[in-house]
Amino acid sequence: MALEGTVDEAADALPVLVGASFTADTPEDTFLDVSDAGHGVAYVNGFCVGRYWDIGPQQTLYVPAPLLRAGRNEVPLLDLERRPTGLALAEAHRFGRAAHAHPTSEES
């Protein structure tokens, strides 16, 4: 399964709403990789699957099979901090800080 989506590149205002979708042959548990996003909320087919922040601790959000349907699945993402550079599906949960995350005072 691969995510497809669009972002209005001309818009400078935040927050930004990103629309993506993917096609599933059969619904099965998966994870939404939000490691290339900033700080916001993710939905799948109208259900909130969680909040995310690039400072961690998680880089993926669990998407249970009952939220998915065979065929097209919609993934709107509301990001408060910046335009996501990519969204993907993952087979396992990933934890840690995203590579582009803001440094903490301990890391500065």
Side-chain angles (χ1 to χ4, degrees):
M1 295 181 279
L3 282 172
E4 305 169 351
T6 59
V7 178
D8 182 4
E9 296 295 335
D12 290 330
L14 291 174
V16 63
L17 181 63
V18 177
S21 66
F22 65 94
T23 303
D25 294 329
T26 58
E28 56 187 47
D29 291 354
T30 191
F31 297 90
L32 180 62
D33 183 343
V34 290
S35 61
D36 288 329
H39 181 196
V41 183
Y43 297 85
V44 174
N45 294 328
F47 291 92
C48 180
V49 293
R51 299 180 297 175
Y52 60 88
W53 200 354
D54 61 0
I55 64 171
Q58 62 188 33
Q59 294 184 15
T60 55
L61 298 172
Y62 175 62
V63 181
L67 298 186
L68 302 177
R69 53 184 163 238
R72 185 181 172 106
N73 291 273
E74 300 293 327
V75 183
L77 199 75
L78 176 65
D79 201 293
L80 307 172
E81 186 174 283
R82 62 186 189 82
R83 266 176 241 311
T85 56
L87 285 176
L89 297 176
E91 294 181 5
H93 228 333
R94 287 199 344 248
F95 293 92
R97 294 175 65 84
H100 62 271
H102 305 290
T104 64
S105 59
E106 298 167 359
E107 294 174 342
S108 302

